[in-house]
Amino acid sequence: MNKAPQIIQQVKQIPIVDYLSSLGIMPAHKAGNQFFYCSPKTNERTPSLAVNPEKNVYFDWSGDSKGDIISLVQHLAGCTFLDAVTKLEPFSMEPPKNSFSFSGQLSTVNTSGIDIIDVKPLQHQALIQYVEARGISRKVYSRYLREIHYQLNKKKYFAVGFPNDVGGYEVRNQYFKGSFAPKTVSTFNVDGSSTLLLFEGFFDYLSAMEYYNKVTLPATVIVLNSLSNLNKVLPTISQYKRVSTFFDYDETGRKAQIKVKLAASNVTDFSTIYKGFKDFNEMLCK
């Protein structure tokens, strides 16, 4: 039975890295804009399966195979084109459970499939190097970041965790960014503060402290952890006499800025500090 063209097109849009992670297949390393995996078809030690998340294509050097996600499933499962599309259809309807996003899109990890083994102070050298490469010093990251060890599909991983207000985490390492639900904002209250500082992501918050050479800021802070959380805090925003925003210097950030200005009377846009860069952290790094 043939598949409708629209179904095939939908299936082709599924990110290869997300699909592989849903199978418990994680990258061994990243080089340039490509992720490298040990091919699931062999017991190799040197990764030969390369994925370009921007083009959503792969190349398996060990098997001399390349193409889109449908070709990849055919290659890995040894099945026909139609069988591969059928296998992928459920992934085109909703995000695969327990998936990560390696393509720069923030995604929520279903905690029903995650076993958090340990949460402790940041001490693993690989994670420290990752955080320091983003311009964050020990005096800052030791106060705010945690080292999270967890298990997914019987495999163990570790990452940097930034806690939110309800026990969830924003999770990062060199290869992915995601969230452990429940997902919401992170608030740092200063009693009696009449000023609210709004940050889009936690690396921007940490970057601001590096920029101002502080380990805390002298006003209440809300880190949104995603602009999708902005509507949740709009009623809170209106309670402050002054609001300062540190959103990304792009169209999405400008739209969020307009929302904040409609909710509060005295709003200052601090993205001018890093004009010419995408966000505060990019300026700090460069």
Side-chain angles (χ1 to χ4, degrees), residues 17 35 53 101-107 176-177:
V17 287
F35 291 98
S101 172
F102 295 85
S103 55
Q105 300 295 320
L106 195 62
S107 62
F176 76 92
K177 64 178 182 177

Side-chain angles (χ1 to χ4, degrees), residues 13-65:
Q13 302 308 310
I14 299 168
I16 291 175
V17 287
D18 287 2
Y19 174 72
L20 290 174
S21 70
S22 74
L23 302 179
I25 302 170
M26 312 300 271
H29 66 86
K30 181 182 180 184
N33 63 347
Q34 296 191 97
F35 291 98
F36 285 83
Y37 300 77
C38 290
S39 177
K41 297 195 71 172
T42 67
N43 293 320
E44 65 186 14
R45 294 185 178 182
T46 302
S48 66
L49 178 66
V51 175
N52 184 322
E54 295 177 4
K55 297 181 179 179
N56 204 32
V57 295
Y58 81 97
F59 190 96
D60 189 346
W61 299 91
S62 66
D64 194 23
S65 173

Side-chain angles (χ1 to χ4, degrees), residues 23-211:
L23 302 179
I25 302 170
M26 312 300 271
H29 66 86
K30 181 182 180 184
N33 63 347
Q34 296 191 97
F35 291 98
F36 285 83
Y37 300 77
C38 290
S39 177
K41 297 195 71 172
T42 67
N43 293 320
E44 65 186 14
R45 294 185 178 182
T46 302
S48 66
L49 178 66
V51 175
N52 184 322
E54 295 177 4
K55 297 181 179 179
N56 204 32
V57 295
Y58 81 97
F59 190 96
D60 189 346
W61 299 91
S62 66
D64 194 23
S65 173
K66 63 181 178 180
D68 58 19
I69 189 169
I70 299 175
S71 298
L72 177 62
V73 173
Q74 287 183 265
H75 173 57
L76 296 181
C79 63
T80 67
F81 179 89
L82 289 179
D83 286 342
V85 174
T86 300
K87 287 177 180 290
L88 288 166
E89 272 188 84
F91 293 88
S92 68
M93 298 173 187
E94 60 181 1
K97 290 182 179 180
N98 307 329
S99 68
F100 295 109
S101 172
F102 295 85
S103 55
Q105 300 295 320
L106 195 62
S107 62
T108 300
V109 176
N110 185 339
T111 54
S112 64
I114 293 286
D115 291 322
I116 296 180
I117 301 169
D118 195 14
V119 178
K120 56 187 178 182
L122 188 57
Q123 59 190 38
H124 196 287
Q125 194 57 40
L127 296 179
I128 290 174
Q129 289 175 356
Y130 164 68
V131 172
E132 290 183 343
R134 299 196 64 164
I136 310 303
S137 63
R138 180 179 294 272
K139 68 178 181 180
V140 173
Y141 71 66
S142 62
R143 187 181 183 96
Y144 294 97
L145 300 182
R146 302 291 181 266
E147 180 176 316
I148 300 180
H149 291 250
Y150 59 97
Q151 183 169 287
L152 172 64
N153 297 332
K154 297 182 180 180
K155 294 185 178 181
K156 294 180 180 180
Y157 305 98
F158 58 89
V160 170
F162 179 74
N164 64 31
D165 291 350
V166 294
Y169 288 91
E170 293 302 302
V171 186
R172 304 285 188 275
N173 67 25
Q174 184 179 356
Y175 302 115
F176 76 92
K177 64 178 182 177
S179 305
F180 287 179
K183 182 177 178 64
T184 191
V185 304
S186 303
T187 306
F188 302 91
N189 282 308
V190 172
D191 291 340
S193 175
S194 59
T195 298
L196 175 66
L197 310 179
L198 274 178
F199 291 87
E200 186 168 334
F202 74 84
F203 267 115
D204 296 316
Y205 172 47
L206 304 185
S207 297
M209 283 182 283
E210 294 292 345
Y211 182 81

Side-chain angles (χ1 to χ4, degrees), residues 251-268:
E251 184 62 27
T252 305
R254 285 190 285 273
K255 289 180 179 179
Q257 179 73 15
I258 292 172
K259 275 190 176 183
V260 174
K261 286 186 174 181
L262 292 174
S265 57
N266 188 358
V267 180
T268 304

